Amino acid sequence: MAEEEQGHHHHHHLFHHHKEEEENSGVIEYEKEKKHHKHLEHLGELGATAAGAYALHEKHEAKKDSQHSHEHKLKEEVAAAVAVGAGGFVLHEHHEKKEAKKEEKEAEGKEHHHHLF
């Protein structure tokens, strides 16, 4: 509390912490925001691909190594769940990227309309 009285604020946000600062300054850097979400979308795609490949590898190992097949099947299931989660993250970031594009177009529209009354 004493820090807040002195003007020190600590924000602990996992995502979108820059957006709040940009909105407070009155300037939103749409291009930067779109690139950020596109970058995260690509990272999610890589994660989903890697987890999917690992799941297939473990499935193959389960067939090949019958003595430890249960362990390989568990690893396969976990990797498959990670792949699904990463796919959901990709969809989320794709939506965020589209939303940033939409906001940019709306802001451009507001800049070009001049009302006399």
Side-chain angles (χ1 to χ4, degrees):
M1 293 292 175
E3 289 178 353
E4 288 180 15
E5 292 172 10
Q6 296 174 357
H8 300 337
H9 298 281
H10 295 283
H11 297 282
H12 298 284
H13 300 287
L14 190 56
F15 299 112
H16 307 295
H17 63 280
H18 296 292
K19 188 173 182 179
E20 182 180 310
E21 293 167 10
E22 291 166 354
E23 288 175 349
N24 289 340
S25 69
V27 177
I28 299 175
E29 298 176 14
Y30 295 104
E31 199 61 37
K32 191 174 179 180
E33 188 174 347
K34 287 189 300 186
K35 284 182 181 181
H36 173 71
H37 291 299
K38 185 177 181 179
H39 177 72
L40 290 177
E41 183 180 357
H42 285 296
L43 286 176
E45 289 170 348
L46 285 172
T49 302
Y54 187 71
L56 288 175
H57 166 75
E58 286 299 328
K59 184 175 187 169
H60 175 73
E61 288 295 311
K63 290 179 182 177
K64 196 170 84 174
D65 182 11
S66 60
Q67 205 170 20
H68 299 104
S69 66
H70 183 69
E71 181 181 339
H72 291 295
K73 286 178 185 177
L74 286 174
K75 288 180 181 179
E76 176 193 350
E77 290 294 322
V78 170
V82 170
V84 169
F89 180 74
V90 168
L91 290 174
H92 167 76
E93 286 303 323
H94 182 74
H95 173 75
E96 291 292 317
K97 183 178 68 176
K98 284 175 62 176
E99 190 66 28
K101 284 182 183 179
K102 180 181 168 189
E103 289 173 2
E104 180 181 31
K105 287 189 181 205
E106 289 174 357
E108 286 174 358
K110 289 178 185 176
E111 291 173 6
H112 298 318
H113 294 298
H114 299 283
H115 299 283
L116 295 174
F117 301 100

